[in-house]
Amino acid sequence: PPRIDAGRDRHGRVAEQRMPSTHESNSKRFFFVLGTNICRDAFEPRTIPRPRHDEIESRGKLDADTYVVYDPADSNPSRRYKGFLGASGRRPIISPDGVHWTQLDVPKLPSYDESNLSYDRLTKTFIATLKTEGPYGRSHAIWTSKDFERWTNTNVVFSADDEDQRLLKLNIEARLADSTLQQPIHIRNNPAEYNADIYNMGIFRYEGVYVGMPAVLHTTGGSGFHLIQLVSSRDLRTWLRLGDRQPFIGPSPVGGSTSGQGGADDLALL
């Protein structure tokens, strides 16, 4: 099968995939958004140039911090693809082909620099996780929509808790003791400055449950690393932390294709 290479930016950093791939059933293609400016088709690799934010209406191309889903149920073919645009606040955008985009005249969704978007085809519901504040710092609010224009705040915020803070010290100690893993760039040997919060969280439906993958950022006093865990829910409101909160996706070893970040962008190889 073809290999999708996310590539690197001008600084040599590995591009990230912020959201699940989207399957276009009619053409049997998968649609990816990789990094901040690369869009590729799994069977017809292509790169879409990155325009500036002020060019979205005139050129209609994807920009940085874009999140895309494919909606086969929409009767309007010009709205087949739907996405978010923007680094602070999320602006809904639509497209007939995943290449040319139009911004909807609707309010922005409140979010900091991290969010995710998915589409539950069974209930025809769009699901957004939007970065916000919580009791220990970064958290993610869950919003939903049936038409991609009117959004509802579920008043659910997925946040770190006291148990995450307890496991934090154990995880940091294990990380610092493992020479095969990239170490945080800045370490202050003061556990009082350690903190665990939810840097990002993607949600998708799998059969009868919703699955989430929160990226728990372990801050060591100026830098840190992610551990991706697994959670599940039946209703998007009550979430079960699975696997005793052990990493579902662990970090790559030093020398791996995603190593060398050592901070918030300490990526896991998927």
Side-chain angles (χ1 to χ4, degrees):
R3 176 177 180 267
I4 304 300
D5 184 3
R8 295 175 181 267
D9 67 11
R10 64 181 182 276
H11 302 295
R13 296 172 299 193
V14 177
E16 302 175 63
Q17 182 176 347
R18 295 289 195 182
M19 53 170 286
S21 61
T22 295
H23 182 233
E24 183 179 321
S25 57
N26 291 339
S27 61
K28 298 181 180 180
R29 297 185 303 177
F30 285 90
F31 187 82
F32 294 83
V33 177
L34 297 175
T36 59
N37 63 339
I38 301 174
C39 295
R40 296 181 187 271
D41 186 298
F43 295 96
E44 299 174 7
R46 53 180 173 158
T47 299
I48 297 175
R50 170 185 173 184
R52 299 190 306 271
H53 276 251
D54 58 3
E55 294 178 320
I56 185 68
E57 292 183 357
S58 61
R59 289 184 54 190
K61 299 291 185 68
L62 292 180
D63 197 0
D65 301 292
T66 306
Y67 306 80
V68 177
V69 296
Y70 175 67
D71 179 9
D74 198 316
S75 59
N76 186 343
S78 69
R79 298 167 55 96
R80 190 68 64 226
Y81 292 88
K82 297 176 173 68
F84 287 155
L85 180 71
S88 180
R90 294 294 180 264
R91 290 175 284 173
I93 55 178
I94 57 173
S95 169
D97 55 11
V99 179
H100 303 91
W101 293 86
T102 301
Q103 183 177 321
L104 294 175
D105 185 18
V106 297
K108 292 194 299 184
L109 278 69
S111 181
Y112 298 142
D113 62 333
E114 296 286 327
S115 67
N116 271 277
L117 172 67
S118 65
Y119 180 53
D120 177 359
R121 296 188 184 183
L122 184 63
T123 64
K124 295 182 172 57
T125 302
F126 299 94
I127 304 168
T129 57
L130 307 170
K131 190 175 181 180
T132 186
E133 294 291 335
Y136 288 99
R138 302 172 183 89
S139 303
H140 280 263
I142 300 175
W143 288 50
T144 61
S145 174
K146 292 291 188 179
D147 61 7
F148 204 66
E149 295 187 11
R150 293 177 290 271
W151 287 84
T152 299
N153 183 356
T154 66
N155 294 314
V156 175
V157 176
F158 188 91
S159 304
D161 60 13
D162 291 344
E163 180 64 9
D164 289 311
Q165 309 312 310
R166 185 187 72 81
L167 294 173
L168 163 73
K169 297 178 182 179
L170 299 176
N171 292 334
I172 289 178
E173 290 174 357
R175 178 71 170 239
L176 298 180
D178 191 340
S179 62
T180 69
L181 299 178
Q182 177 72 36
Q183 298 301 306
I185 298 173
H186 303 290
I187 303 174
R188 300 191 185 109
N189 191 21
N190 182 6
E193 297 186 36
Y194 294 170
N195 186 65
D197 58 15
I198 309 302
Y199 195 85
N200 200 316
M201 179 174 167
I203 295 175
F204 60 93
R205 187 184 187 98
Y206 179 75
E207 295 187 350
V209 300
Y210 294 102
V211 178
M213 292 194 292
V216 183
L217 176 61
H218 292 58
T219 303
T220 58
S223 185
F225 58 90
H226 285 153
L227 291 177
I228 301 176
Q229 299 179 6
L230 196 65
V231 299
S232 68
S233 174
R234 296 281 181 181
D235 56 8
L236 293 176
R237 294 182 178 276
T238 302
W239 290 89
L240 179 64
R241 305 287 291 266
L242 304 176
D244 295 326
R245 307 194 188 196
Q246 295 302 302
F248 175 64
I249 301 175
S252 302
V254 173
S257 61
T258 61
S259 66
Q261 305 295 321
D265 296 319
D266 176 26
L267 309 181
L269 181 62
L270 303 184

